[in-house]
Amino acid sequence: MSIFDDDKPAKRPAHEIGCDLSMLSVEDLEQRIALLQAEIIRLEGERQRKDAGRKAAESLFRR
């Protein structure tokens, strides 16, 4: 057993943007939609946190 994880094969993502969807079932598509919707919520939350930090910094340095 190696002490490095580099030898392990990379885990495939649950969804890859632009991949062929024709072979997926309706259930698979619903799972991917839910996954992507959760990711959008996570991205929007991070954007809001960064925007709040930027606004706080701007108000501090504009005095």
Side-chain angles (χ1 to χ4, degrees), residues 1 3 5 19 23 35 41-42 44 49-50 58:
M1 184 168 157
I3 59 172
D5 288 335
C19 68
M23 299 301 291
L35 173 78
I41 291 169
R42 187 177 77 91
E44 288 175 340
R49 282 188 287 281
K50 288 185 182 244
E58 285 176 353

Side-chain angles (χ1 to χ4, degrees), residues 18-62:
C19 68
D20 180 23
L21 304 174
S22 63
M23 299 301 291
L24 297 176
S25 67
V26 172
E27 292 80 17
D28 288 340
L29 290 169
E30 289 172 350
Q31 289 175 352
R32 289 184 184 209
I33 289 168
L35 173 78
L36 292 169
Q37 287 173 333
E39 183 65 4
I40 289 168
I41 291 169
R42 187 177 77 91
L43 289 165
E44 288 175 340
E46 185 63 23
R47 180 182 61 187
Q48 289 172 355
R49 282 188 287 281
K50 288 185 182 244
D51 190 44
R54 182 184 52 83
K55 287 179 182 176
E58 285 176 353
S59 68
L60 179 68
F61 291 110
R62 286 191 180 176

Side-chain angles (χ1 to χ4, degrees), residues 1-8:
M1 184 168 157
S2 175
I3 59 172
F4 300 105
D5 288 335
D6 296 341
D7 298 336
K8 293 181 182 178

